[in-house]
Amino acid sequence: MAMEAAIVATMPAFKHLKRITFTPPFLLKLQKLQRFNSLACLSPNFTQEDPQQQRLEQEQQNQLTNNSTTSRSSSSTSYFPKRGQTVELVCESLAFKGKGVCKVAETGFVVMCDRALPGERFIGRVTRRKGSYAEVTKVETITPHWDLVDAPCEYAPYCGGCKTQNLSYESQLRAKEQQVRELTIHVGNFSDKVPEFCSIMKPIVPCDIQFHYRNKMEFSFGSKKWLPKELLGEKQVGNEKYALGLHAPGFFDKVLNVDKCLLQSEPANMVLAAIQDCWRDSQFGLTPYDVHSHTGFLKHLMLRTGRNVETGLLELMVNFVTSSYKPELLKPLVEKISAIPEVVSIMNNVNTSVGNTSVGEEEYTLYGKSTITEMLRGLTFQISANSFFQTNTRQAEVLYKLIEDCAGLRGDGSQIVLDLFCGTGTIGLTLARRAKHVYGYEVVPQAISDAHRNAKLNRISNATFVQGDLNKIDESFGNNFPKPDIVISGLSPCQMPCSLNFTSFVFEMLT
């Protein structure tokens, strides 16, 4: 299941439209948006949940429970399943984050079930109640869901990244498009009753590949290997308890061991297999970091795939995140994986904190160069170990083309583009060739540094990138650049501005 596209409507993971793309609801009510283009984004989510995502999920769940509230009010006896109770359910649709939406037959009371898919009839056990809905765990499938396919990944039943891999891609697209539609209506306050809605909500744009599309994967080293229930009785001693892979759903301290991931490139899987083959060998003295005792050396393994600009062939960066700088311990691994032709960069980020982040306070080059390259919309981008870059390069090409179309630049070099929360400047740089000047603002210093480097690499002189916190701007902010013709706002949930100065500035730009 690939990142089918870019959401420039209401999904916060993607960005950008003419004027404003994704903004808080109070700005969405302005309905200044000139058009939306929805594309699917079913790539796995390996990040922690944030408050804004939870708010969006709650909004959707509130809408789903409206019908059940009406049903309960007309019934003489309300039916709220209790914790531990088993009920027979049929999954009706997929909600935010891929949870199955079901309703109790007698009353229509809404329950959510992880890994339940549309059309599936199953027995579920209630685990907890959350306000107007409850959560259940699937105990037994009675009849399978619609559009059943075989999941090609052996880890699909356990891994939290690809929950809907056994659902046909066409069904995944329909589910994602429906989610965007509901968010557009219920959060964005757009009415689907008016004829103009069709010009706002565009059809989903699928991705032409569903596997091996991610250019970045981050795996964790763990001192506790997660095992499925049927293997819990097996005794594990010594290094057998160690794991390298992905965190099991719901566990911050247990790692599902992964030898191959169908989301990343084949060369990246070659590197993963080579490291899995030897890192537990006691002669190397390598230990995984323990999140409880805060001891151990290896924290994360990050694999990034790019392309050589001259040959077009894949090139790979391997980044070891460790708790201290001990290159001699990594030497056996470096020697083994550097023999893989696609590996052109091996980095070591040192993170001495007790946190679980993969960004280090110090960075060292252990082999080759410190960056890899990627091509997008005719431009070349250098990607460092911690650079932000769209994880699906192929679909990012589609996304950026849509952004250019939505921006509506005349192409005569007379218009000013303001790119807020610009990241590494990739979108602004792709627009620069048709604009008079691009001004980008971003709070992360490393991202601004990457933006400057990429502008220079592509010989773009009409782009200015400034590091600063847009939540702390003052009244003089608009004096730093000419009045823009196009405003691009790439907001992630954690960047939602609460500054009244920022809000006032946006209002002024929209009027």
Side-chain angles (χ1 to χ4, degrees):
M1 48 193 202
M3 179 185 86
E4 296 71 29
I7 295 179
V8 276
T10 55
M11 295 299 285
F14 284 96
K15 327 175 175 180
H16 310 78
L17 277 187
K18 188 174 182 180
R19 303 298 184 191
I20 289 293
T21 46
F22 183 84
T23 55
F26 61 85
L27 286 180
L28 280 169
K29 291 178 181 179
L30 296 174
Q31 300 194 359
K32 292 288 185 178
L33 214 48
Q34 296 192 356
R35 66 183 287 203
F36 276 116
N37 285 277
S38 74
L39 298 85
C41 176
L42 293 181
S43 60
N45 182 359
F46 297 108
T47 59
Q48 297 286 337
E49 289 190 11
D50 53 62
Q52 178 64 12
Q53 286 177 318
Q54 293 171 351
R55 186 185 69 81
L56 291 175
E57 184 176 8
Q58 188 62 51
E59 286 279 356
Q60 188 177 51
Q61 289 162 349
N62 288 342
Q63 292 297 326
L64 291 167
T65 55
N66 283 344
N67 291 337
S68 66
T69 301
T70 303
S71 176
R72 290 197 303 272
S73 63
S74 61
S75 175
S76 59
T77 303
S78 295
Y79 177 54
F80 302 100
K82 299 178 181 179
R83 183 175 180 180
Q85 183 177 349
T86 58
V87 288
E88 182 176 324
L89 300 164
V90 177
C91 180
E92 297 185 359
S93 61
L94 291 179
F96 194 61
K97 291 187 175 294
K99 289 187 177 182
V101 180
C102 316
K103 293 179 181 178
V104 177
E106 292 83 353
T107 62
F109 183 75
V110 173
V111 295
M112 312 287 287
C113 182
D114 203 19
R115 297 186 182 277
L117 298 172
E120 180 178 6
R121 182 180 295 274
F122 64 98
I123 302 296
R125 178 176 288 110
V126 179
T127 55
R128 60 178 173 173
R129 183 178 162 192
K130 299 176 69 175
S132 57
Y133 72 98
E135 292 185 352
V136 302
T137 299
K138 184 163 55 176
V139 176
E140 177 187 1
T141 296
I142 301 174
T143 55
H145 59 82
W146 307 321
D147 304 317
L148 176 69
V149 297
D150 292 329
C153 179
E154 62 180 296
Y155 306 107
Y158 316 113
C159 177
C162 302
K163 294 180 181 180
T164 57
Q165 202 177 89
N166 57 345
L167 184 66
S168 71
Y169 184 58
E170 292 73 20
S171 296
Q172 294 179 36
L173 292 174
R174 288 196 298 270
K176 178 60 67 172
E177 186 169 33
Q178 183 61 29
Q179 290 176 25
V180 176
R181 181 185 180 90
E182 290 176 358
L183 288 171
T184 304
I185 296 170
H186 301 308
V187 179
N189 290 335
F190 285 91
S191 172
D192 60 343
K193 307 300 182 182
V194 298
E196 292 79 10
F197 185 79
C198 292
S199 65
I200 297 171
M201 183 72 189
K202 297 295 183 180
I204 201 164
V205 180
C207 186
D208 56 355
I209 58 172
Q210 286 79 59
F211 297 98
H212 305 296
Y213 63 87
R214 281 188 69 96
N215 56 41
K216 176 185 176 182
M217 283 294 294
E218 183 180 309
F219 302 98
S220 297
F221 291 93
S223 58
K224 293 183 179 180
K225 181 189 293 185
W226 182 90
L227 294 173
K229 291 181 179 179
E230 58 268 23
L231 298 179
L232 287 177
E234 294 185 5
K235 187 177 180 180
Q236 293 184 317
V237 295
N239 294 359
E240 293 179 355
K241 297 183 294 183
Y242 294 168
L244 169 59
L246 301 170
H247 282 279
F251 294 93
F252 75 97
D253 58 349
K254 291 186 179 181
V255 174
L256 170 67
N257 196 70
V258 174
D259 295 320
K260 181 180 181 179
C261 180
L262 297 183
L263 300 181
Q264 65 180 0
S265 66
E266 288 295 352
N269 276 322
M270 292 173 61
V271 171
L272 178 60
I275 295 174
Q276 289 281 34
D277 186 54
C278 64
W279 78 275
R280 296 177 186 83
D281 195 325
S282 57
Q283 68 172 319
F284 297 145
L286 295 169
T287 56
Y289 187 77
D290 189 296
V291 296
H292 294 289
S293 64
H294 306 304
T295 58
F297 179 61
L298 295 169
K299 286 190 169 184
H300 303 284
L301 171 68
M302 184 188 298
L303 303 177
R304 305 196 73 152
T305 303
R307 281 182 294 173
N308 184 290
V309 177
E310 296 179 357
T311 66
L313 299 176
L314 297 182
E315 58 180 24
L316 206 71
M317 171 186 285
V318 181
N319 180 24
F320 292 100
V321 182
T322 59
S323 60
S324 59
Y325 180 57
K326 297 178 180 178
E328 67 279 3
L329 289 179
L330 293 173
K331 186 176 180 181
L333 299 182
V334 172
E335 290 177 349
K336 185 164 186 173
I337 61 179
S338 61
I340 298 174
E342 289 84 358
V343 175
V344 299
S345 171
I346 302 178
M347 307 298 294
N348 179 200
N349 267 242
V350 178
N351 178 10
T352 60
S353 71
V354 297
N356 205 29
T357 178
S358 60
V359 179
E361 303 106 11
E362 299 175 352
E363 184 174 286
Y364 301 92
T365 303
L366 304 180
Y367 170 82
K369 53 186 182 178
S370 61
T371 62
I372 56 175
T373 56
E374 185 54 273
M375 293 172 285
L376 194 59
R377 301 293 298 156
L379 301 179
T380 300
F381 296 93
Q382 286 189 343
I383 304 171
S384 60
N386 297 311
S387 293
F388 170 79
F389 199 79
Q390 296 288 354
T391 54
N392 187 338
T393 308
R394 188 183 295 246
Q395 203 67 347
E397 189 84 22
V398 178
L399 165 63
Y400 287 11
K401 174 63 169 59
L402 285 171
I403 293 170
E404 286 188 34
D405 293 342
C406 291
L409 286 168
R410 292 191 293 269
D412 57 1
S414 64
Q415 294 170 290
I416 301 295
V417 175
L418 178 62
D419 190 358
L420 304 175
F421 306 96
C422 66
T424 55
T426 51
I427 292 178
L429 291 174
T430 60
L431 297 178
R433 72 192 99 183
R434 305 186 65 196
K436 180 178 182 180
H437 205 94
V438 172
Y439 294 87
Y441 283 81
E442 171 61 47
V443 69
V444 181
Q446 182 60 47
I448 290 297
S449 177
D450 289 341
H452 286 146
R453 183 175 66 244
N454 288 322
K456 184 177 181 180
L457 179 65
N458 290 281
R459 299 179 180 178
I460 295 175
S461 58
N462 62 330
T464 302
F465 297 101
V466 180
Q467 190 268 322
D469 189 347
L470 289 171
N471 291 321
K472 299 179 180 179
I473 63 174
D474 56 28
E475 296 178 355
S476 64
F477 176 67
N479 299 329
N480 299 326
F481 46 83
K483 185 173 182 178
D485 301 287
I486 307 294
V487 177
I488 301 173
S489 179
L491 297 173
S492 69
C494 60
Q495 291 173 316
M496 283 301 182
C498 56
S499 166
L500 291 178
N501 288 332
F502 180 90
T503 304
S504 300
F505 172 75
V506 172
F507 267 100
E508 184 178 346
M509 290 299 101
L510 290 172
T511 56

